[in-house]
Amino acid sequence: MKLFLRLLPFFILTTLVMIFFLPLFWPVSQIYISPDSHLSDILHFHYPMKFLLSESLKSNHLPIWTDLVGTGFFPIGEGQIQALSLINCILFKLFPLNTAFNLQYVIVFLGLSIGMYVITQEFRWSKLTGLYCAIIFTFSGLHIVKISHLNCLQALSYVPFIFWIFLRMQKNKHTKLWLILPFLFSQQILQGHYQYVFLTYIFLLAYFYLSWWKTQKEDHPWLIKKMFVLGCITLGLSAVQLIPTLEYFVQSGSRIGVQGSVTGTFQFRHLIQFFSPFVLGDSRIGTYPAPTYGIAFLETFSYIGVVPILLALSSFWFIRKNKWIQTCWIIIALLFLFVFEKNSPIYFLFSLPPFSWFRVYSRFLAFITFLLVLLSGYMFNKIFRGAIQEQYKKNIPKHDRSMFDSSYFLIFFIFFVSIFDVLMFASSYQPLLPTKNVFTLPELYQNISSEYRMTTIPNNNKQWLSYMYTYGWKNPNDYLYLLQGGQPNYTLLYSLSNMTIYAGFLPKKQQRLIYLALETSTWDDKKKTASLSALAMNTLKLHNTKNLITASKITNPEVKLIK
């Protein structure tokens, strides 16, 4: 019976995650088609890259190089294909592409939920509190809106387990669990999103400096030794990815950090979204003014429910008496200094390496959300322990049972209202379409010969963004028409070689030969005509590109209209 009760929360969490993602598998195979600030990261990047990974693994080799995008592309070096991730290697080797791709979400959300649950048990909170924190954290708005950024979620799914093992090490220096940390850290690196790896290190350093290093000075020699060994093993395990990535990075255009970015930044008004998800606008119906703010909704959003955020805020009442609460709020305040980026007094840091290597530091919201859920869980557990367990100890007489019943009602009211709140948001946000509809060869591509490369001119996503910011995804099927635009890397799915690349950062050759050449051409948006320069025409010929997709009429005599 004790074993059953210990395993019951894991069964509940597993069942909930499987039910939530069931529509991806049954009654028909479906896929998220989430539009993004640039095309769709799922349809134009993650799915095509996983197609390449799946085909390669089933042929017993790694996708080191492909000539189907750009003038040749090094996907392992770029990193986000996750070709060396253990979980992905198993999934895409053993399962069909559609099944393997959707199973990634199941595994990620299981990792988030189980990881958060074991953290609450390390704090010796009740099982009900553990379920409360695990469900709210897993299905929080931050994770749901980032479903289109799959590798971000995959990198974040390792954080709860890493955090839990450090908690265990702090309590028991003889635990063998630390031996798992190099594997977890290296696997997080192999997910290919290096900014979240960097942010994870900052978060862990801040938390355990305040809660461990600062308070337990006798542990310093032991910690230094352990961290040195941990770092060496982690580097060794992840070198197989870091070395190709370094090579690719050197051969690519420089990264634009926060100071060089023309995008907007997190503003004070975005804090209101913690209490009301769509108070500033609803991306689903195109009312969120992302062009005005200069930053996408998913980069400014986090929602754990109204009741949980109020519980988390109420913990501030105990900040003087409770060192752990004090630590959490200090870190939250510190992370918000990064989140506000250009509006922050520490803005100067973003000009210095390694901070200058990345942009969009509002992604620290992931770790703020993590701490807010724990603070909310602390208050929930305080209510639970105080209202039920203490009353049991006092052997409440029958005539006073009404007090017990009201406390019992309050606890479960908070529990179910909070879970209902986050699940309602989670289940209504992301658009789904049947896989067969999304990946049927578009009519326009049927006239394109795979013998030559293709490209879209001008190479931009104006039509995609214009539709998204006007209509959202009220009618997801409308995006099937936009998939005929010829943008990479969607065309890779049909073995159509595209002269351009959609990736995190592009090789210098790609930038120079394509974008500079096309910028020398003449475009008339009113008449919808274009005249390609001699440089542009020579660039296209040089790269065997004879198939052009454009919304403008090309006036060059050597260009003929096919359809």
Side-chain angles (χ1 to χ4, degrees):
M1 187 63 180
K2 288 184 179 180
L3 179 62
F4 172 76
L5 291 176
R6 288 182 63 182
L7 295 179
L8 181 60
F10 297 99
F11 174 77
I12 292 172
L13 293 173
T14 302
T15 302
L16 184 59
V17 169
M18 292 178 69
I19 291 174
F20 183 82
F21 289 108
L22 183 62
L24 291 176
F25 304 92
W26 186 84
V28 295
S29 175
Q30 297 195 95
I31 188 171
Y32 293 113
I33 58 103
S34 320
D36 211 330
S37 55
H38 296 283
L39 303 174
S40 166
D41 275 10
I42 292 178
L43 301 181
H44 292 94
F45 185 76
H46 291 299
Y47 197 89
M49 286 295 102
K50 293 306 189 296
F51 166 79
L52 189 62
L53 176 62
S54 179
E55 293 294 303
S56 298
L57 291 177
K58 288 178 173 62
S59 300
N60 299 316
H61 66 269
L62 291 173
I64 297 174
W65 185 265
T66 180
D67 60 355
L68 290 176
V69 287
T71 53
F73 183 54
F74 184 32
I76 283 187
E78 198 272 346
Q80 295 186 81
I81 193 172
Q82 304 164 319
L84 303 172
S85 165
L86 178 61
I87 292 175
N88 281 348
C89 284
I90 294 172
L91 289 179
F92 290 96
K93 174 68 175 179
L94 299 181
F95 294 96
L97 174 62
N98 297 340
T99 304
F101 189 85
N102 287 333
L103 280 175
Q104 291 178 106
Y105 290 112
V106 177
I107 293 172
V108 164
F109 277 69
L110 279 176
L112 292 169
S113 60
I114 294 173
M116 177 56 77
Y117 179 80
V118 296
I119 288 173
T120 64
Q121 300 310 288
E122 193 66 31
F123 285 136
R124 299 186 181 279
W125 294 349
S126 69
K127 289 181 174 58
L128 187 66
T129 304
L131 286 172
Y132 169 85
C133 290
I135 295 172
I136 289 171
F137 176 67
T138 303
F139 297 100
S140 66
L142 182 133
H143 295 141
I144 296 301
V145 300
K146 288 189 182 297
I147 276 178
S148 59
H149 288 185
L150 178 56
N151 62 329
C152 296
L153 289 179
Q154 289 171 312
L156 287 172
S157 67
Y158 289 90
V159 174
F161 290 104
I162 293 171
F163 187 83
W164 167 62
I165 292 176
F166 272 112
L167 288 177
R168 180 64 63 88
M169 290 170 61
Q170 186 177 2
K171 290 182 178 179
N172 178 12
K173 296 172 185 60
H174 300 290
T175 180
K176 302 298 183 185
L177 283 174
W178 79 273
L179 295 171
I180 305 175
L181 280 176
F183 171 77
L184 295 177
F185 274 123
S186 62
Q187 285 297 307
Q188 188 190 39
I189 290 171
L190 296 179
Q191 304 313 309
H193 202 287
Y194 302 108
Q195 182 174 15
Y196 272 115
V197 174
F198 176 57
L199 302 188
T200 298
Y201 295 162
I202 293 178
F203 167 67
L204 292 174
L205 181 64
Y207 182 91
F208 288 102
Y209 171 78
L210 292 174
S211 66
W212 191 354
W213 181 270
K214 192 176 179 181
T215 59
Q216 298 171 248
K217 295 183 179 181
E218 67 278 6
D219 290 346
H220 286 187
W222 180 88
L223 268 173
I224 293 172
K225 186 187 300 183
K226 275 287 190 291
M227 293 306 102
F228 177 77
V229 174
L230 173 61
C232 290
I233 299 175
T234 299
L235 281 174
L237 292 175
S238 52
V240 66
Q241 177 65 70
L242 292 176
I243 293 173
T245 295
L246 178 61
E247 180 184 2
Y248 181 86
F249 185 84
V250 170
Q251 296 298 323
S252 300
S254 59
R255 293 291 281 165
I256 298 176
V258 171
Q259 292 203 340
S261 175
V262 297
T263 60
T265 187
F266 190 92
Q267 303 174 23
F268 282 98
R269 71 183 71 184
H270 290 123
L271 293 173
I272 309 174
Q273 295 174 144
F274 276 99
F275 302 91
S276 180
F278 303 118
V279 64
L280 299 180
D282 190 343
S283 293
R284 299 173 301 177
I285 57 175
T287 59
Y288 182 79
T292 302
Y293 297 138
I295 187 169
F297 178 72
L298 60 82
E299 301 291 10
T300 66
F301 184 75
S302 179
Y303 183 70
I304 62 173
V306 176
V307 175
I309 191 65
L310 292 176
L311 281 178
L313 291 173
S314 68
S315 69
F316 203 81
W317 182 264
F318 302 97
I319 195 169
R320 289 187 178 182
K321 298 179 180 179
N322 190 302
K323 289 290 184 182
W324 179 78
I325 291 178
Q326 190 178 98
T327 296
C328 289
W329 280 111
I330 288 174
I331 295 172
I332 288 173
L334 173 65
L335 297 186
F336 264 121
L337 291 177
F338 287 99
V339 166
F340 280 105
E341 295 178 351
K342 298 175 183 179
N343 299 321
S344 170
I346 64 170
Y347 178 53
F348 69 94
L349 282 178
F350 301 123
S351 64
L352 306 174
F355 295 97
S356 60
W357 297 345
F358 306 104
R359 57 186 179 84
V360 194
Y361 277 91
S362 60
R363 288 168 181 166
F364 264 122
L365 285 172
F367 303 95
I368 292 173
T369 300
F370 180 85
L371 291 177
L372 287 174
V373 170
L374 287 177
L375 288 168
S376 181
Y378 174 87
M379 295 304 297
F380 181 89
N381 192 67
K382 194 175 184 66
I383 296 171
F384 181 85
R385 298 291 189 193
I388 294 184
Q389 292 191 349
E390 289 301 316
Q391 293 184 28
Y392 266 124
K393 292 177 182 178
K394 294 177 182 178
N395 296 318
I396 302 173
K398 290 183 178 180
H399 62 273
D400 287 334
R401 286 288 180 180
S402 58
M403 178 181 176
F404 171 79
D405 292 339
S406 62
S407 300
Y408 185 87
F409 174 79
L410 174 63
I411 292 164
F412 282 94
F413 176 80
I414 293 173
F415 182 85
F416 286 111
V417 167
S418 300
I419 290 174
F420 179 79
D421 192 0
V422 294
L423 287 180
M424 281 295 293
F425 174 85
S427 60
S428 63
Y429 186 78
Q430 293 289 354
L432 283 167
L433 281 178
T435 306
K436 65 177 182 179
N437 293 358
V438 178
F439 301 113
T440 298
L441 180 65
E443 182 181 355
L444 187 60
Y445 294 173
Q446 295 174 10
N447 299 296
I448 295 177
S449 170
S450 59
E451 183 180 353
Y452 306 104
R453 283 195 174 100
M454 63 178 291
T455 192
T456 299
I457 52 174
N459 185 39
N460 60 44
N461 52 7
K462 288 183 179 179
Q463 287 182 316
W464 186 278
L465 292 186
S466 175
Y467 190 88
M468 172 185 161
Y469 290 141
T470 304
Y471 303 103
W473 48 87
K474 290 182 289 187
N475 300 303
N477 282 296
D478 291 347
Y479 287 94
L480 298 180
Y481 173 77
L482 295 178
L483 287 175
Q484 300 188 83
Q487 288 91 353
N489 302 322
Y490 179 76
T491 53
L492 186 153
L493 297 169
Y494 309 106
S495 298
L496 296 174
S497 185
N498 201 310
M499 195 175 75
T500 51
I501 303 173
Y502 184 50
F505 47 104
L506 301 176
K508 294 176 183 177
K509 180 181 178 181
Q510 182 77 191
Q511 296 177 349
R512 292 170 181 169
L513 293 183
I514 298 174
Y515 295 110
L516 290 179
L518 294 178
E519 283 176 2
T520 61
S521 301
T522 304
W523 304 90
D524 190 329
D525 292 333
K526 291 183 179 180
K527 296 182 179 179
K528 294 185 177 182
T529 59
S531 176
L532 301 183
S533 66
L535 179 59
M537 293 299 298
N538 288 334
T539 300
L540 295 173
K541 292 177 182 177
L542 179 65
H543 293 95
N544 195 34
T545 305
K546 294 189 177 182
N547 301 304
L548 306 181
I549 297 178
T550 180
S552 303
K553 181 180 179 181
I554 306 297
T555 58
N556 299 63
E558 60 267 49
V559 177
K560 297 181 180 180
L561 178 66
I562 297 177
K563 187 174 183 179

